[in-house]
Amino acid sequence: MRRPNWVPEGTDLDKPNAARVYDYYLGGSHNFEVDREMARKAIALWPELPQIMRSNRAFLRRAVQFTAERGISRFLDIGSGIPTFGAVHEIARAIRPGAQVVYVDRDPVAVAHSRLLLEGDEGCSVVQADVRDVDDLMSRPEVTGLLAAGEPVAVLLVAVMHFVQDAEEPWKLIEVIRDALPPGSALVLSHASLEGRPDQAEDHQRLYRMTPTPLTMRTHEQITAMFDGFELAEPGVVYLPQWRPDQPETVGEHPERMTGVAGVGFRP
């Protein structure tokens, strides 16, 4: 396969990559046939997957716009994947032209792609780190630099914490992040919910158990507890399409079919 100019040298183009598969779900162009083949297999098991992924991405866009409108111009995007299709810095800068973004991902392929795509952008940096090693993540120079000014920071944990197992104590990981944030900072979080599609939950979790990133879907109560120490913005923790929709009439009668819930909270 001929290597496109956005692909770093040494990238294995014969194996699917989760970040590129997600890009395919979103309708992006930074993916290959091997990624599309994996996505088609997943869609055969759960036909609504692309719609769910796009609903999650639409929440990210609305949440970044919301926090930027509240005056935030610094963003820490943990589990960012490849910042291509509606990237955080593009959304934020439409409102805050000087917005700075630190993208964090554990996947070396996503990190390599991101560094190549963002080369020359002095307002963006890319860090390879894992939220499960939160002390390491929060001590990286790019992250400490983002926090050093004492200005509010929006931390994005969008479709990330359901990849952290209960034994890894996701609630405590978020506490560590929260305690490092200046007042007025925001937590933007979405998470796969057990209540949304109970008929699909076990099959979906079983599918992910066959991958390096097993999925833990949680209850609404467990997900809401991740906002401990933050003041939730209206409408609270709700299904993805219900969180401040651009057009309320587009939410539909069954927002739970998007399976995920989301919210934004601010640190007092």
Side-chain angles (χ1 to χ4, degrees):
M1 182 184 295
R2 187 166 175 265
R3 186 180 67 86
N5 60 10
W6 57 270
V7 177
E9 293 284 356
T11 301
D12 188 344
L13 304 184
D14 296 320
K15 293 182 180 178
N17 174 265
R20 296 195 305 257
V21 171
Y22 185 57
D23 178 74
Y24 171 73
Y25 285 139
L26 297 177
S29 59
H30 290 74
N31 53 76
F32 304 121
E33 178 56 31
V34 66
D35 306 306
R36 295 188 284 271
E37 181 180 357
M38 178 179 170
R40 286 192 288 266
K41 289 179 180 178
I43 293 168
L45 293 172
W46 195 339
E48 291 172 314
L49 272 179
Q51 188 180 354
I52 293 168
M53 302 300 181
R54 291 169 189 172
S55 182
N56 184 69
R57 195 68 174 186
F59 159 71
L60 171 67
R61 172 184 57 77
R62 297 194 303 273
V64 170
Q65 290 172 336
F66 175 68
T67 52
E69 288 166 356
R70 292 277 295 259
I72 293 180
S73 60
R74 293 169 179 257
F75 296 83
L76 177 59
D77 187 0
I78 302 173
S80 56
I82 303 172
T84 56
F85 196 80
V88 170
H89 65 281
E90 295 172 346
I91 301 166
R93 287 174 184 170
I95 299 167
R96 301 283 166 191
Q100 301 177 45
V101 182
V102 175
Y103 290 102
V104 179
D105 206 286
R106 57 177 284 201
D107 177 5
V109 173
V111 168
H113 285 319
S114 300
R115 285 177 174 156
L116 193 58
L117 287 165
L118 295 170
E119 188 175 7
D121 189 327
E122 296 182 358
C124 292
S125 56
V126 184
V127 176
Q128 184 176 347
D130 192 328
V131 70
R132 295 173 299 182
D133 189 353
V134 71
D135 292 329
D136 170 67
L137 189 161
M138 298 304 289
S139 68
R140 296 298 185 92
E142 297 87 347
V143 177
T144 58
L146 194 72
L147 297 169
E151 298 177 10
V153 174
V155 175
L156 313 180
L157 289 169
V158 177
V160 172
M161 298 312 289
H162 47 232
F163 293 116
V164 179
Q165 306 300 297
D166 286 345
E168 294 163 327
E169 301 184 293
W171 299 274
K172 288 191 176 180
L173 298 179
I174 294 176
E175 284 180 14
V176 173
I177 296 171
R178 180 199 67 202
D179 291 347
L181 297 177
S185 294
L187 172 63
V188 175
L189 182 144
S190 67
H191 196 296
S193 165
L194 279 170
E195 290 97 342
R197 288 293 302 275
D199 58 317
Q200 289 276 16
E202 183 51 39
D203 287 343
H204 197 51
Q205 291 180 104
R206 189 180 299 114
L207 173 67
Y208 272 86
R209 281 197 290 269
M210 296 185 288
T211 76
T213 52
L215 180 78
T216 300
M217 301 174 82
R218 296 187 169 97
T219 66
H220 187 278
E221 183 179 3
Q222 289 174 315
I223 298 165
T224 301
M226 293 180 176
F227 287 96
D228 184 44
F230 293 90
E231 295 179 353
L232 279 166
E234 291 294 334
V237 178
V238 295
Y239 288 112
L240 290 167
Q242 294 176 313
W243 197 87
R244 294 180 174 264
D246 295 326
Q247 298 174 311
E249 65 273 12
T250 64
V251 171
E253 295 181 1
H254 296 286
E256 75 281 358
R257 294 187 70 84
M258 294 301 98
T259 70
V261 297
V264 175
F266 289 88
R267 187 177 183 196

